[in-house]
């Protein structure tokens, strides 16, 4: 399952070690096999790992790209990563591991956010660009893997669980009436709301950039509704052709 937390801001200490420790401990059940952290100026990433693909310690997270420019926190599984890897290798990319995480990093280094439609699977991710000093976050089309955001004192916090964000002690527990009303009326909290006012979910099939402690506009990179409507139209066209042939 895995889980990660990341903090992006302008200050040198965007999330202290104690707060990071509490957040990672709250996600222990998501990743009981390993724990890792990566820190830079204005950024902290922490990860809890459930080791399934490539058990080698080199495949642990947070993972830094071979060029040193990008660092990723990732939760999920990319089903077509072997095909993506072969394509990247044909372009001269060399890999150190057999993990899907490294494939995402290499693909992002090569294509940026344009890589998203090529990722077939379930995922939530945060990638830090050490040169441009900004972060990219994204979530799979069906929203199978969760990703939550909160802003606190010039810092943007991103995590796989609401409880991890609250465990930092930097996020208000003030309730969100709309989220709570949605739960009692519908049986679940409607996204992007959560139970708490200052925590929001990144919607399924959306992505965004985080820069200078602020989240930029979210962009829908894959709309499941559009995909289904397109499928209906294709089915109708096929049926029309079939009827013409039979006639």
């Amino acid at each position: 399952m895995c889980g990660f937390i990341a903090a992006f801001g302008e200050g040198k200490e965007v999330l202290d070690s104690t707060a990071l420790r509490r957040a990672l401990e709250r996600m222990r059940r998501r990743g009981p096999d390993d724990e890792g952290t990566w820190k830079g100026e204005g950024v902290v990433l922490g990860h809890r790992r459930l080791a399934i693909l490539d058990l080698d310690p080199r495949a642990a997270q947070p993972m830094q790209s071979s060029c040193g420019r990008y660092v990723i926190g990732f939760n999920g599984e990319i089903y077509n990563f072997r095909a993506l890897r072969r394509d990247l290798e044909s372009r001269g990319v060399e890999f150190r591991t057999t993990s899907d995480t490294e494939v995402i990093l290499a693909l992002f280094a090569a294509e940026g956010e344009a890589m998203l439609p090529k990722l077939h699977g379930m995922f939530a991710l945060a990638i830090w660009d050490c040169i441009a000093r900004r972060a990219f976050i994204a979530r799979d089309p069906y929203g199978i893997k969760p990703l939550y955001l909160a802003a606190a004192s010039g810092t943007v916090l991103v995590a796989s669980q609401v409880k991890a964000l609250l465990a930092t002690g930097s996020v208000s527990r003030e309730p969100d009436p709309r989220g709570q009303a949605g739960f009692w009326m519908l049986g679940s909290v409607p996204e992007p709301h959560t139970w708490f006012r200052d925590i929001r979910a990144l919607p399924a099939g959306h992505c965004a950039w985080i820069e200078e402690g602020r989240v930029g506009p979210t962009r829908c990179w894959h709309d499941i509704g559009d995909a289904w409507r397109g499928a209906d139209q294709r089915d109708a066209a096929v049926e029309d052709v079939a009827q013409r042939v039979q006639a």
Side-chain angles (χ1 to χ4, degrees), residues 25-183:
E25 188 61 30
R26 289 297 275 168
M27 293 190 291
R28 176 177 290 275
R29 291 185 178 181
R30 296 187 68 90
D33 296 329
D34 196 11
E35 176 182 299
T37 60
W38 186 92
K39 296 183 180 182
E41 185 174 349
V43 57
V44 172
L45 287 97
H47 187 268
R48 292 288 326 188
R49 186 185 187 195
L50 177 64
I52 298 176
L53 291 175
D54 193 342
L55 306 186
D56 191 297
R58 291 178 299 176
Q61 296 185 52
M63 180 184 288
Q64 192 163 13
S65 63
S66 57
C67 66
R69 176 169 180 173
Y70 304 104
V71 186
I72 189 173
F74 161 64
N75 169 34
E77 183 177 353
I78 306 303
Y79 308 137
N80 64 329
F81 81 95
R82 292 182 179 86
L84 295 173
R85 177 184 175 126
R86 287 193 295 269
D87 176 65
L88 288 164
E89 287 176 328
S90 72
R91 296 189 241 171
V93 177
E94 296 182 356
F95 289 88
R96 299 163 294 173
T97 74
T98 58
S99 69
D100 52 356
T101 307
E102 190 178 12
V103 171
I104 298 173
L105 266 179
L107 193 59
F108 186 80
E111 302 182 10
E113 65 180 282
M115 72 168 181
L116 289 175
K118 294 185 177 182
L119 300 179
H120 300 166
M122 51 183 180
F123 59 86
L125 57 84
I127 299 176
W128 173 251
D129 185 331
C130 298
I131 294 178
R133 298 194 53 75
R134 61 177 185 164
F136 179 71
I137 59 174
R139 194 173 175 204
D140 68 76
Y142 284 94
I144 299 172
K145 293 301 181 180
L147 191 59
Y148 299 98
L149 302 93
S153 303
T155 298
V156 176
L157 299 170
V158 180
S160 299
Q161 282 187 273
V162 168
K163 291 180 179 180
L165 293 174
L166 294 174
T168 65
S170 302
V171 180
S172 170
R173 292 178 175 268
E174 186 74 21
D176 181 352
R178 289 170 292 184
Q180 295 189 5
F183 175 80

